[in-house]
Structures are given as C-alpha cells and as structure tokens.
Amino acid sequence: MSDVTQKNRLHHNLRVAIVHEWLEHYAGSERVVEQLLIMYPQAELFAIVDFMPDAERVMLKGKAVQTTFIQRLPFARRYFRYYLGLMPIAVEQLDLAGFDLIISSNHAVAKGVITGPDQVHVCYVHSPMRYAWDMQAAYLRQSNMERGVRSLYARWLLHTLRNWDVRSAAGVDVFVANSNYIARRIKKVYRREAKVVYPPVDIKMFENIQHNRQDYVVVSRMVPYKRIDLVVEAFLRMPDRTLHVVGDGPEREKIELLAAHAPNIILHGRLSDAEVENYLCKAKAFVFAAEEDFGITMVEAQACGTPLIVFNRGGARDIVLQADEKEGPTGIFFREQSAEAIVAAVDQFEATFPSIEPQLCRANAQRFSEEAFRQNMFRVVESAMSLQN
C-alpha cells in the first residue's frame, strides 16, 4: 500500500470542503483541485461560479459544484469577472458549517470563506491577487484605465479589495505557496509564513526523451507579461539558430510582425498536447523570459529532458538546478529581461550544452510530479490537523 493511500485512509472520516475561485477551463489551478479531489474523494466542492465545459469536467470526478449567487446574475457565463467587486461578499455566503477541513485554492477570493474555531482552513495560494497588489499599474495600463472615470472606479475597487484581502487572511490557519516566490509575496502582503508545495505536473505525459536536438522552442500564451517579443527579438539577432514559437493570444499579431522576415523564427500557433510534447522533446533548449509564479511548462520541458534558458526571477528559481548544485545543471539563467541578455545566455548555453544531461533534466522534473504534490499536501494537512487537536 502506498504512503498516500495509507494517509488517505486515515483521513477518510474527515468532512472536507474544497473551495475554488471559478471553474471555467482546465488549467494550472484546476490541476490542483483535481489532485485534492483524488486525495479526498469524500470532499464537497464549492466555487464562485461553475461554467466548466462538459468535455473538461472529468477533472471534477463527478462532483456536483455548489456555487454562489453570481452564477445566476445576468451575463455571468461570459462576464463573471466583471462581478469581481461582489466576489468577497459571495464567497462569505458559502455555508461551510460542519466541515472539519477546508482547503481553499486561491488566486483571488477563495480564502475569504468564513470558518469557525474548530475548523482547520488550509489555503493553497497560486498567487495573491496580482492586479490588486504589485501588478496594479500594469493591469490598469493593459486595460487602458490609467486615466478617467473608469480608472478612478478601478483604483477604488482595487483599494477596497486589498483591504478585504488582508483582513480575510486572518481566517486562514495555514498558508501553502506554490513556489518560494509566492511564499515571499504572501509574507509581503499578509505578513504570514507559508509552506511551499509545488503544484502537480503530469510528467508522465512527457517521456519521449530524444538526444538529437537542434532548435530552440518557447511555448506560451501570447500576452504582454510573458515577453515572447523579447525571445523573438533575441533570435532575430541569431539568424543561424532556429526558434519555434508555440502559442496564441492577443500579442500574436505583434509577434507575427516581428518575425515576418525572419526565416529562422517559425510560428506554430496553438497546438495539441501531443504536438507540444513533440516540439519540447526535440528542442535543444526551452527559452522563456517571463517572471512566473511557478512555471508548469518549464517543468514539462524538463520532463522531456530539455534544458532551460530562463529569466532568473519567480518560480524558475525553484525549477532550474545550477552547476554548483550536486544534481545540476539543468539550465541557464539570464538576469534581465532584454534581448541582449537572452543572446548572451544562449551563447553561454551553447558552450555548456554537452554538460547538461537529458536524464538529469528528467529526474529533476520528478520533484514536481502529481504524486509528490499529494504526499507533500498530506504532510501539510496532517501537521495543521495535529495543531488543531
């Protein structure tokens, strides 16, 4: 019997509530909910709204989702994010009386559920509200709300959300961060320590390790903060090296214009999981210039045996092993978000590439497996429950 199965049996009598922000698509935070439902099959599931497509509902394990009044508001299916100002009130109306353990999956308001003194509330934080805290200026700029009446309203709303966000942190018994970077943000915003449990990555999907590697690849949504433009600009300066760009989004037209006359930069748009795996497994390295909360695609690249050339900020620091670590190296860092820094990092990588072993990258990815997530979360919950008792 596995360690996780034994612990599961110890916990099967607990009444467990899992609270998620909103169910719209199967993405990174939904992977966490999926694993929590495996850990606690008896759990009841709550969310602000549930508009998950039928084709993606398998991750819910057949659970009915208990939602809030926002689910029934006009145009909620398409525009529920516009009801952000009502979400703190909505999440506080969820009735969690009678549950022994509440696990919230939080990047906005889920941690604001009201719990009693005999209940244990463990909050898994994907990120504190970025748009309300240190990324407010970027959010207002990208939303074209830097000036005018709409800007005043947005700034007042975000101010109100910040106050509520800090107050509601008091109802959490244990914070869990998905990376050391997010743990530092939790410390900054809530003045609370957080345990780090890396999010689950299905590394079993990425086992096609190849040794004949030629080109470079970046896989990402094309949104401003991902800085795909910097990666493309860098390879414009390296015409003898080929870059494959996989992804789609509002920045696609900008990226297409940048790469219009560069035969060494190949845009693929959005691809299937199997096609993404194919490019990751054949790549000489995965290049990424964003500051991410964690970085699941970086782990998927490592699972394919692919080294990383990534910005030295955010969750990447938890993923890449360096040459001075006994297990390393599994990649190269660059220290500023610029095309020049990426070019220099690629040159450095070319010089050290033979020392980065695909099997070592693959072994590194095992630290972020679904099984590792479940084991580590069980330890956190056991510790929290023992303190309560």
Side-chain angles (χ1 to χ4, degrees):
M1 184 185 299
S2 72
D3 185 44
V4 169
T5 302
Q6 290 176 335
K7 290 175 180 176
N8 196 324
R9 291 190 174 184
L10 291 174
H11 291 181
H12 80 281
N13 289 326
L14 289 176
R15 282 205 66 198
V16 181
I18 296 171
V19 184
H20 191 52
E21 243 96 41
W22 47 76
L23 292 163
E24 184 184 25
H25 293 293
Y26 180 65
S29 62
E30 285 71 34
R31 297 185 191 197
V32 168
V33 172
E34 180 179 34
Q35 294 303 310
L36 292 173
L37 289 172
I38 292 172
M39 291 169 58
Y40 300 104
Q42 78 275 29
E44 295 184 37
L45 183 57
F46 298 81
I48 299 292
V49 296
D50 172 20
F51 297 120
M52 182 74 76
D54 290 343
E56 300 178 30
R57 297 190 73 83
V58 64
M59 56 84 57
L60 300 178
K61 314 300 179 189
K63 295 281 183 181
V65 182
Q66 300 180 53
T67 58
T68 70
F69 66 84
I70 293 178
Q71 179 86 18
R72 300 180 295 278
L73 292 180
F75 312 109
R77 175 176 292 275
R78 187 170 180 181
Y79 298 112
F80 66 85
R81 288 176 177 83
Y82 284 76
Y83 293 118
L84 178 63
L86 294 176
M87 289 184 184
I89 298 172
V91 79
E92 290 174 349
Q93 306 315 305
L94 292 174
D95 183 5
L96 301 182
F99 289 98
D100 305 300
L101 170 66
I102 293 91
I103 304 178
S104 55
S105 167
N106 183 87
H107 59 77
V109 300
K111 78 178 193 322
V113 291
I114 296 175
T115 59
D118 296 323
Q119 296 176 301
V120 174
H121 181 184
V122 176
C123 178
Y124 188 92
V125 182
H126 308 281
S127 174
M129 284 188 276
R130 304 177 190 91
Y131 39 83
W133 291 100
D134 50 315
M135 292 186 70
Q136 174 182 289
Y139 165 75
L140 294 173
R141 183 168 55 252
Q142 292 168 18
S143 304
N144 196 27
M145 288 193 295
E146 292 183 279
R147 295 180 179 83
V149 175
R150 291 175 67 237
S151 176
L152 287 174
Y153 171 75
R155 292 172 192 274
W156 169 82
L157 175 61
L158 294 175
H159 170 76
T160 302
L161 286 171
R162 280 191 293 273
N163 290 338
W164 176 87
D165 197 27
V166 171
R167 184 199 61 73
S168 63
V172 175
D173 296 298
V174 176
F175 276 105
V176 184
N178 68 355
S179 68
N180 283 289
Y181 172 64
I182 294 302
R184 292 195 299 273
R185 294 190 74 215
I186 290 170
K187 179 72 171 180
K188 184 78 171 181
V189 173
Y190 306 133
R191 298 299 178 186
R192 297 279 298 278
E193 299 293 335
K195 301 178 185 297
V196 175
V197 174
Y198 299 126
V201 183
D202 187 4
I203 62 174
K204 298 186 296 297
M205 289 179 56
F206 303 89
E207 296 180 334
N208 183 21
I209 296 179
Q210 300 190 19
H211 297 276
N212 183 22
R213 297 166 179 265
Q214 299 294 327
D215 303 334
Y216 295 84
V217 66
V218 55
V219 180
S220 174
R221 289 182 296 117
M222 291 186 179
V223 293
Y225 87 92
K226 297 286 188 179
R227 301 317 310 266
I228 306 302
D229 57 330
L230 291 181
V231 180
V232 170
E233 286 176 17
F235 278 83
L236 288 173
R237 305 180 189 190
M238 298 182 287
D240 57 330
R241 293 165 180 161
T242 299
L243 174 70
H244 295 271
V245 182
V246 178
D248 204 350
E251 290 261 292
R252 179 165 182 171
E253 185 177 347
K254 174 182 176 180
I255 303 303
E256 287 175 340
L257 288 173
L258 277 175
H261 303 292
N264 66 314
I265 299 172
I266 305 169
L267 305 183
H268 296 280
R270 187 174 182 179
L271 300 178
S272 67
D273 290 344
E275 291 170 316
V276 169
E277 180 194 8
N278 181 55
Y279 281 104
L280 288 177
C281 290
K282 290 181 178 179
K284 200 170 188 178
F286 178 88
V287 187
F288 199 61
E291 180 177 338
E292 287 280 36
D293 299 330
F294 177 66
I296 286 176
T297 310
M298 286 185 266
V299 175
E300 292 172 344
Q302 293 270 274
C304 293
T306 302
L308 303 175
I309 302 174
V310 294
F311 182 43
N312 188 18
R313 293 286 295 274
R317 290 180 176 178
D318 289 2
I319 298 170
V320 179
L321 298 180
Q322 293 288 278
D324 58 355
E325 299 179 75
K326 64 179 182 179
E327 302 93 346
T330 65
I332 297 288
F333 281 128
F334 52 92
R335 297 192 175 277
E336 63 178 41
Q337 287 178 307
S338 69
E340 293 82 3
I342 296 171
V343 171
V346 172
D347 288 340
Q348 179 189 357
F349 171 78
E350 291 279 355
T352 60
F353 175 60
S355 67
I356 301 180
E357 301 176 4
Q359 292 297 340
L360 181 57
C361 294
R362 172 70 185 177
N364 181 39
Q366 298 285 348
R367 297 189 293 133
F368 311 102
S369 69
E370 293 172 336
E371 179 71 12
F373 171 83
R374 293 195 296 268
Q375 289 177 346
N376 291 328
M377 277 300 292
F378 268 125
R379 293 189 188 102
V380 169
V381 171
E382 281 188 325
S383 175
M385 297 297 292
S386 66
L387 290 174
Q388 180 71 17
N389 296 331

